[in-house]
Amino acid sequence: MVGTEHEQELERYRPPAPSAKSPRLDSCFVTFHREKGKKIFYSAEGKRHLEDMLDDFFKERGKLINLIQLEIIKFFEQSRTIDILSVMLVESSVYFKVS
């Protein structure tokens, strides 16, 4: 007989005896934690945690985009970039016969 509430909950998610197709240990562990995760994110506290995580993610993403933008601007300000673009434009004007 299963004793504690935790053990009873684990028993509820325990899959049938292991077979060659489905290893028992992984399946039981994953199922139990998947259900716990769902309970957390269905709750108001879980929703708040998710909102905080997404806010942090997008703040960091914004910082990264700003850094990339600054590097692209630096790239276009370099004299070598201007030289390369000039050559490319001349070559493409010849190719497209633009006068």
Side-chain angles (χ1 to χ4, degrees):
M1 179 85 188
V2 180
T4 68
E5 183 180 322
H6 179 72
E7 289 170 336
Q8 289 173 349
E9 191 168 359
L10 271 175
E11 191 63 33
R12 193 173 99 200
Y13 296 110
R14 193 172 310 281
S19 69
K21 293 181 181 179
S22 62
R24 178 180 165 168
L25 179 64
D26 291 340
S27 179
C28 180
F29 181 81
V30 169
T31 302
F32 175 76
H33 286 88
R34 180 192 67 209
E35 293 301 316
K36 282 293 193 184
K38 283 171 44 179
K39 285 180 184 177
I40 290 169
F41 284 104
Y42 272 122
S43 71
E45 182 181 359
K47 182 179 179 183
R48 184 178 52 76
H49 283 302
L50 184 58
E51 288 171 349
D52 291 345
M53 290 165 52
L54 288 171
D55 285 345
D56 290 345
F57 172 79
F58 285 112
K59 284 178 191 172
E60 292 301 316
R61 184 171 180 245
K63 290 178 187 175
L64 180 61
I65 289 172
N66 288 341
L67 289 173
I68 292 170
Q69 181 183 21
L70 290 173
E71 292 303 315
I72 290 172
I73 291 169
K74 287 180 187 177
F75 170 78
F76 280 111
E77 290 176 343
Q78 293 178 0
S79 62
R80 186 151 183 208
T81 302
I82 294 169
D83 294 341
I84 292 169
L85 288 173
S86 296
V87 169
M88 289 173 61
L89 288 171
V90 168
E91 288 176 357
S92 66
S93 68
V94 169
Y95 178 77
F96 290 109
K97 297 181 182 173
V98 176
S99 35

